[in-house]
mmCIF file of all heavy atoms in Angstrom:
data_model
loop_
_atom_site.group_PDB
_atom_site.id
_atom_site.type_symbol
_atom_site.label_atom_id
_atom_site.label_comp_id
_atom_site.label_asym_id
_atom_site.label_seq_id
_atom_site.Cartn_x
_atom_site.Cartn_y
_atom_site.Cartn_z
ATOM 1 N N TYR N 168 94.121 41.659 256.344
ATOM 2 C CA TYR N 168 93.965 42.991 255.733
ATOM 3 C C TYR N 168 95.325 43.546 255.302
ATOM 4 O O TYR N 168 95.362 44.479 254.497
ATOM 5 C CB TYR N 168 93.318 43.913 256.810
ATOM 6 C CG TYR N 168 93.164 45.317 256.364
ATOM 7 C CD1 TYR N 168 92.260 45.649 255.297
ATOM 8 C CD2 TYR N 168 93.855 46.388 256.967
ATOM 9 C CE1 TYR N 168 92.082 46.956 254.896
ATOM 10 C CE2 TYR N 168 93.662 47.680 256.540
ATOM 11 C CZ TYR N 168 92.760 47.985 255.498
ATOM 12 O OH TYR N 168 92.602 49.272 255.100
ATOM 13 N N GLU N 169 96.417 43.049 255.844
ATOM 14 C CA GLU N 169 97.709 43.538 255.405
ATOM 15 C C GLU N 169 97.954 43.329 253.885
ATOM 16 O O GLU N 169 98.740 44.041 253.288
ATOM 17 C CB GLU N 169 98.822 42.839 256.233
ATOM 18 C CG GLU N 169 98.889 43.229 257.670
ATOM 19 C CD GLU N 169 99.171 44.698 257.846
ATOM 20 O OE1 GLU N 169 100.185 45.169 257.277
ATOM 21 O OE2 GLU N 169 98.425 45.357 258.636
ATOM 22 N N TYR N 170 97.330 42.268 253.347
ATOM 23 C CA TYR N 170 97.499 42.002 251.916
ATOM 24 C C TYR N 170 97.065 43.167 251.053
ATOM 25 O O TYR N 170 97.829 43.742 250.283
ATOM 26 C CB TYR N 170 96.744 40.747 251.517
ATOM 27 C CG TYR N 170 97.492 39.457 251.728
ATOM 28 C CD1 TYR N 170 97.180 38.596 252.772
ATOM 29 C CD2 TYR N 170 98.565 39.081 250.892
ATOM 30 C CE1 TYR N 170 97.854 37.406 252.954
ATOM 31 C CE2 TYR N 170 99.228 37.902 251.098
ATOM 32 C CZ TYR N 170 98.855 37.084 252.103
ATOM 33 O OH TYR N 170 99.560 35.875 252.321
ATOM 34 N N PRO N 171 95.779 43.620 251.141
ATOM 35 C CA PRO N 171 95.416 44.776 250.340
ATOM 36 C C PRO N 171 96.103 46.045 250.719
ATOM 37 O O PRO N 171 96.413 46.887 249.846
ATOM 38 C CB PRO N 171 93.912 44.852 250.531
ATOM 39 C CG PRO N 171 93.694 44.240 251.846
ATOM 40 C CD PRO N 171 94.665 43.079 251.948
ATOM 41 N N LYS N 172 96.309 46.286 252.014
ATOM 42 C CA LYS N 172 96.974 47.497 252.423
ATOM 43 C C LYS N 172 98.411 47.600 251.878
ATOM 44 O O LYS N 172 98.782 48.640 251.372
ATOM 45 C CB LYS N 172 97.040 47.545 253.957
ATOM 46 C CG LYS N 172 97.543 48.892 254.520
ATOM 47 C CD LYS N 172 97.342 48.979 256.029
ATOM 48 C CE LYS N 172 98.325 48.072 256.775
ATOM 49 N NZ LYS N 172 98.250 48.307 258.245
ATOM 50 N N ASN N 173 99.174 46.491 251.931
ATOM 51 C CA ASN N 173 100.516 46.472 251.362
ATOM 52 C C ASN N 173 100.498 46.606 249.851
ATOM 53 O O ASN N 173 101.401 47.192 249.256
ATOM 54 C CB ASN N 173 101.260 45.232 251.798
ATOM 55 C CG ASN N 173 101.578 45.196 253.261
ATOM 56 O OD1 ASN N 173 101.605 46.229 253.930
ATOM 57 N ND2 ASN N 173 101.801 44.053 253.826
ATOM 58 N N THR N 174 99.487 46.026 249.231
ATOM 59 C CA THR N 174 99.350 46.092 247.775
ATOM 60 C C THR N 174 99.131 47.498 247.328
ATOM 61 O O THR N 174 99.770 48.009 246.385
ATOM 62 C CB THR N 174 98.203 45.202 247.280
ATOM 63 O OG1 THR N 174 98.498 43.839 247.617
ATOM 64 C CG2 THR N 174 98.014 45.310 245.764
ATOM 65 N N VAL N 175 98.185 48.193 247.978
ATOM 66 C CA VAL N 175 97.946 49.618 247.635
ATOM 67 C C VAL N 175 99.157 50.466 247.897
ATOM 68 O O VAL N 175 99.513 51.311 247.045
ATOM 69 C CB VAL N 175 96.737 50.132 248.462
ATOM 70 C CG1 VAL N 175 96.610 51.618 248.322
ATOM 71 C CG2 VAL N 175 95.435 49.473 248.023
ATOM 72 N N ASN N 176 99.846 50.189 248.969
ATOM 73 C CA ASN N 176 101.071 50.927 249.238
ATOM 74 C C ASN N 176 102.118 50.711 248.173
ATOM 75 O O ASN N 176 102.820 51.658 247.772
ATOM 76 C CB ASN N 176 101.616 50.524 250.621
ATOM 77 C CG ASN N 176 102.837 51.326 250.993
ATOM 78 O OD1 ASN N 176 102.807 52.527 251.251
ATOM 79 N ND2 ASN N 176 104.001 50.621 251.073
ATOM 80 N N HIS N 177 102.245 49.472 247.740
ATOM 81 C CA HIS N 177 103.217 49.174 246.674
ATOM 82 C C HIS N 177 102.879 49.903 245.366
ATOM 83 O O HIS N 177 103.765 50.516 244.741
ATOM 84 C CB HIS N 177 103.244 47.632 246.398
ATOM 85 C CG HIS N 177 104.186 47.252 245.303
ATOM 86 N ND1 HIS N 177 105.531 47.042 245.484
ATOM 87 C CD2 HIS N 177 103.974 47.024 243.964
ATOM 88 C CE1 HIS N 177 106.121 46.731 244.363
ATOM 89 N NE2 HIS N 177 105.145 46.718 243.416
ATOM 90 N N PHE N 178 101.632 49.851 245.017
ATOM 91 C CA PHE N 178 101.217 50.527 243.760
ATOM 92 C C PHE N 178 101.479 52.029 243.836
ATOM 93 O O PHE N 178 101.914 52.665 242.909
ATOM 94 C CB PHE N 178 99.731 50.278 243.495
ATOM 95 C CG PHE N 178 99.478 48.980 242.735
ATOM 96 C CD1 PHE N 178 98.661 48.005 243.319
ATOM 97 C CD2 PHE N 178 100.001 48.753 241.497
ATOM 98 C CE1 PHE N 178 98.381 46.813 242.652
ATOM 99 C CE2 PHE N 178 99.765 47.558 240.802
ATOM 100 C CZ PHE N 178 98.972 46.600 241.397
ATOM 101 N N GLU N 179 101.139 52.630 245.022
ATOM 102 C CA GLU N 179 101.291 54.067 245.151
ATOM 103 C C GLU N 179 102.713 54.493 245.251
ATOM 104 O O GLU N 179 103.165 55.476 244.644
ATOM 105 C CB GLU N 179 100.470 54.549 246.364
ATOM 106 C CG GLU N 179 98.977 54.379 246.149
ATOM 107 C CD GLU N 179 98.163 55.129 247.197
ATOM 108 O OE1 GLU N 179 98.593 55.156 248.366
ATOM 109 O OE2 GLU N 179 97.071 55.659 246.860
ATOM 110 N N MET N 180 103.478 53.823 246.100
ATOM 111 C CA MET N 180 104.855 54.222 246.367
ATOM 112 C C MET N 180 105.834 53.768 245.302
ATOM 113 O O MET N 180 106.826 54.494 244.981
ATOM 114 C CB MET N 180 105.304 53.686 247.710
ATOM 115 C CG MET N 180 104.389 54.158 248.900
ATOM 116 S SD MET N 180 104.282 55.956 249.020
ATOM 117 C CE MET N 180 105.977 56.343 249.535
ATOM 118 N N GLU N 181 105.672 52.603 244.759
ATOM 119 C CA GLU N 181 106.597 52.059 243.782
ATOM 120 C C GLU N 181 106.233 52.225 242.324
ATOM 121 O O GLU N 181 107.115 52.365 241.442
ATOM 122 C CB GLU N 181 106.804 50.549 244.060
ATOM 123 C CG GLU N 181 107.258 50.201 245.468
ATOM 124 C CD GLU N 181 108.653 50.759 245.822
ATOM 125 O OE1 GLU N 181 109.456 50.873 244.872
ATOM 126 O OE2 GLU N 181 108.857 51.072 246.950
ATOM 127 N N LEU N 182 104.913 52.302 242.048
ATOM 128 C CA LEU N 182 104.467 52.330 240.646
ATOM 129 C C LEU N 182 103.686 53.575 240.317
ATOM 130 O O LEU N 182 103.227 53.725 239.175
ATOM 131 C CB LEU N 182 103.606 51.104 240.360
ATOM 132 C CG LEU N 182 104.343 49.751 240.519
ATOM 133 C CD1 LEU N 182 103.368 48.581 240.326
ATOM 134 C CD2 LEU N 182 105.497 49.588 239.579
ATOM 135 N N GLY N 183 103.524 54.492 241.277
ATOM 136 C CA GLY N 183 102.832 55.750 241.021
ATOM 137 C C GLY N 183 101.391 55.669 240.649
ATOM 138 O O GLY N 183 100.840 56.513 239.948
#
Side-chain angles (χ1 to χ4, degrees):
Y168 179 67
E169 291 297 310
Y170 275 106
K172 187 170 72 172
N173 291 339
T174 298
V175 169
N176 183 66
H177 178 85
F178 276 120
E179 292 191 326
M180 301 303 293
E181 302 297 329
L182 299 175

